Amino acid sequence: MTWLPLLVLAWLERHPALLVFAFGYLAVVLVPINFGWGVHWGGRWHDAPMLIIGGGVLLLGSAGFGLAQRLRRLR
């Protein structure tokens, strides 16, 4: 349920890029993407692929927003 705070933050900040990112992250979280990983893992590691994909999207998004902020400061 980490997508809800992102949507609230985008609404509070009125930042269109953050809103687009929040909806993109929502799509990634709601669509079960596993590429066949974890099918045979079972147990507590069954959710690992979705956690890796969701965490990777958040990490890349934060890096992108950080880079955009740094480039804006250089102008």
Side-chain angles (χ1 to χ4, degrees):
M1 210 82 175
T2 57
W3 54 268
L4 186 60
L6 271 176
L7 287 175
V8 171
L9 181 64
W11 177 69
L12 287 174
E13 293 287 330
R14 288 172 175 70
H15 196 283
L18 184 57
L19 184 65
V20 169
F21 177 74
F23 278 120
Y25 178 70
L26 176 63
V28 167
V29 170
L30 291 181
V31 175
I33 305 170
N34 63 11
F35 302 113
W37 304 339
V39 174
H40 305 289
W41 293 357
R44 62 182 175 185
W45 294 103
H46 181 70
D47 294 328
M50 281 305 294
L51 291 173
I52 292 169
I53 292 169
V57 168
L58 286 176
L59 186 64
L60 289 174
S62 66
F65 280 109
L67 181 63
Q69 184 178 14
R70 175 171 273 195
L71 291 175
R72 195 173 334 144
R73 283 185 188 166
L74 290 176
R75 287 188 198 174

